[in-house]
Amino acid sequence: MSRLAIDGGDPVRTEPFPAWPVFGAEEERSLIEVLRSGKWGALDGSKVKRFQERFAAFQDAKHGICVVNGTLALEVALRAAGIGPGDEVIVPSYTFIATATSVLAVGARPVFADVDPQTMQIDPASVEERVNSRTRAVIPVHLAGHPADLDAIMAIAGRYGLTVIEDAAQAHGAAWKGRRVGAIGHLGTFSFQSSKNMTAGEGGIVVTNDDALAVRVWSIHNVGRVPGGLWYQHESIGWNLRMTEFQAAVLLCQLDRAEEQLYRRQVNAAALSGLLVHIDGVEPLAVDSRVTSHAWHLYLFRYDSAAFGGMDKSMFIRCMQAEGIPAAPGYIPLHRNRAMRQALWEQFGVKGEDIPSCPSAERACDETVVWLPQSVLMGTSQDLASIAQAIEKIQAVAGQRQQAK
C-alpha cells in the first residue's frame, strides 16, 4: 500500500504553485512616477481618476469611485442607497463576513439567505422567503467569480422595491449574459485586497450606472463634499475614504494584465474540470449557462466522502495539503458565526434559535465543498495534473484501507 504524505510518504508535489501577486517593472515605474511627482493623494494626482474611469469601463459601468478597501465600498454603497437603522438587508450566509458587517455598520440588520448547492450562489427562492416590510436591499455575492442569478434577483427587487448591491469582490471581469457585473444592480462593489485577481494590497471601488447614486457615493467617500462645491462646503456627513495615488499606480498596471490573466484562469479551470470529472467522488461546481465570463477567483468542487472510504472533508483537505495542494475548507456560514450571532442579539434582540437555517450552506461547509485558490489556475498543465493526481492517490489509499478492514 502506498503511503500518503500525511503519513510520512512522498508528496505528489513539493514545488509551490505560481506566486501571487504578479508584478513587474511596470508597477515599479508607475510607483516611482507617483513618488517623484509629490502628488500622492487622489485630490492632487491623476492616477486614481484614470483608474476609476478605466475600471468602470472594464466592468461596463458609467461611474466608478475608488475607496480604501472592499469592506468600506459595501458600507458606502449601503449609505448611498439610504440603508440605515430599522432596515433589513438580505445577504447569503455563505460569504465573507464583511458582506454582513457592512450592513451592521450602517445600523441595519443582515438577514441570511441560503445558497444554490449547484453553484453556491445566493438562492433567489430563499431571498424571496426572507423579504418582509423592513427589507430594503439585497446583496448578491458573486462567489468565486461566478455571477449570481441576476435575472432572478433583479426581478425580486423590482417586485418589492429593493436596492440591489452586487458584492463583486471576487468577480473582476465576470459577466452575466454578455454584460460585466457590478452595474447590473443599482450599485456594485469590488475589492483589491492582496488575494484578489486584481490587487494593490488593499483598495476598493463602487460602480454604478445611476448618476444620483454616483454623486452620493462620491460625497460619502469625500467627507460630505459636493462635486463643484467649495473646499469646506460639506452638505452631508461623509468620511475621508479616498484611495491613494500609489494604490492606483499599481492597479493601472494590474488592469493592463487583467484580460490575459482572466483568459488563462478560464482555460485552466476548464482543463481542471476536465480532469476532475473522471474521478469518482469529486465534482466541479456547475456553471450557469447565462454566465458568459467566470472570473475564477476560486475553484470550488464538491467532495463525496463515500467515494473516499468515509474520509470526512476535513481529513481530505489535510491530506491534500500534505500532498502539496493548497486546498481549503471555505467559509463557515455566517448564520452560525459566533460573532455575528452575538451582534444580532446585542443590536436587534435576535436569538440564535430565531435565525433561519441555511441547510445548503451548512452542508457545503461541513461536508461537501472544497476550495482551491486562484493561483493554481495561473500555472501549467502539469500543475493542474498534480491536483488530480493527489486526489486519485488519496482515494486509492482510502479504498485500500477500507478493503483491509
Side-chain angles (χ1 to χ4, degrees):
M1 183 185 296
S2 61
R3 296 178 69 194
L4 296 176
I6 200 170
D7 297 324
D10 294 330
V12 165
R13 64 179 294 137
T14 56
E15 293 296 317
F17 283 88
W20 187 260
V22 173
F23 61 91
E26 299 89 345
E27 280 86 354
E28 185 175 357
R29 284 194 297 268
S30 193
L31 285 166
I32 290 173
E33 181 184 337
V34 171
L35 179 69
R36 291 176 175 170
S37 75
K39 297 177 180 178
W40 297 356
L43 294 174
D44 303 314
S46 62
K47 291 190 182 295
V48 171
K49 296 181 180 67
R50 196 183 322 155
F51 177 72
Q52 289 175 160
E53 293 171 357
R54 285 188 57 195
F55 186 81
F58 180 73
Q59 292 297 149
D60 296 331
K62 185 176 180 182
H63 304 282
I65 301 94
C66 286
V67 294
V68 294
N69 58 51
T71 301
L72 281 167
L74 281 166
E75 182 180 334
V76 169
L78 287 161
R79 292 186 185 280
I83 308 301
D87 298 332
E88 293 185 0
V89 178
I90 298 173
V91 305
S93 182
Y94 197 79
T95 185
F96 184 56
I97 195 169
T99 311
T101 56
S102 62
V103 177
L104 293 173
V106 302
R109 174 187 166 186
V111 174
F112 302 111
D114 206 354
V115 293
D116 178 344
Q118 297 303 309
T119 64
M120 294 305 296
Q121 305 305 313
I122 192 168
D123 182 354
S126 183
V127 170
E128 193 146 24
E129 288 174 359
R130 268 59 166 176
V131 174
N132 61 43
S133 60
R134 295 178 297 278
T135 308
R136 291 283 310 284
V138 56
I139 305 179
V141 176
H142 304 315
L143 179 72
H146 182 300
D149 185 346
L150 290 171
D151 286 0
I153 295 299
M154 294 303 293
I156 292 169
R159 285 196 291 275
Y160 298 101
L162 308 180
T163 298
V164 175
I165 300 172
E166 299 176 58
D167 183 341
Q170 301 177 354
H172 312 72
W176 178 258
K177 295 169 65 174
R179 183 178 170 191
R180 285 190 166 163
V181 300
I184 298 175
H186 301 94
L187 295 144
T189 66
F190 294 81
S191 170
F192 305 119
Q193 176 265 350
S194 297
S195 72
K196 299 302 187 291
N197 293 10
M198 192 182 301
T199 180
E202 290 292 353
I205 193 169
V206 182
V207 300
T208 183
N209 284 334
D210 187 300
D211 295 346
L213 285 174
V215 169
R216 288 204 284 273
V217 169
W218 187 90
S219 181
I220 291 166
H221 104 295
N222 196 19
V223 206
R225 296 185 175 98
V226 293
L230 300 174
W231 181 249
Y232 291 115
Q233 180 182 349
H234 306 279
E235 297 292 334
S236 60
I237 298 298
W239 297 264
N240 178 2
L241 304 176
R242 299 184 298 265
M243 178 181 282
T244 71
E245 288 286 284
F246 291 105
Q247 290 169 293
V250 172
L251 287 168
L252 282 165
C253 301
Q254 295 277 298
L255 186 55
D256 289 339
R257 294 189 176 89
E259 291 285 10
E260 184 276 329
Q261 291 177 340
L262 178 64
Y263 177 73
R264 184 188 302 183
R265 290 187 190 94
Q266 290 171 343
V267 169
N268 281 343
L272 181 56
S273 293
L275 294 171
L276 299 192
V277 75
H278 299 295
I279 304 174
D280 290 339
V282 295
E283 180 186 11
L285 288 192
V287 177
D288 193 301
S289 62
R290 295 166 291 180
V291 172
T292 48
S293 179
H294 191 316
W296 293 108
H297 174 64
L298 299 165
Y299 184 95
L300 275 56
F301 64 90
R302 270 189 295 276
Y303 170 75
D304 183 359
S305 63
F308 291 78
M311 179 185 292
D312 66 21
K313 173 184 153 178
S314 61
M315 177 54 72
F316 171 76
I317 289 171
R318 288 173 57 200
C319 290
M320 287 282 281
Q321 292 170 345
E323 298 295 339
I325 310 300
Y331 295 132
I332 297 171
L334 292 183
H335 71 281
R336 297 197 322 199
N337 177 275
R338 183 179 302 175
M340 189 58 58
R341 291 166 75 93
Q342 184 67 23
L344 289 174
W345 167 246
E346 291 176 352
Q347 296 185 37
F348 307 102
V350 177
K351 298 178 181 178
E353 58 266 29
D354 295 329
I355 300 173
S357 65
C358 298
S360 293
E362 292 166 10
R363 188 160 185 264
C365 170
D366 298 339
E367 303 174 26
T368 62
V369 173
V370 178
W371 289 17
L372 295 171
Q374 56 101 355
S375 58
V376 307
L377 300 178
M378 299 296 289
T380 65
S381 58
Q382 289 79 13
D383 291 325
L384 302 178
S386 70
I387 298 170
Q389 185 181 349
I391 295 172
E392 290 174 330
K393 177 183 177 183
I394 295 165
Q395 186 175 64
V397 173
Q400 291 167 358
R401 288 175 176 173
Q402 188 177 41
Q403 290 176 359
K405 289 182 180 178

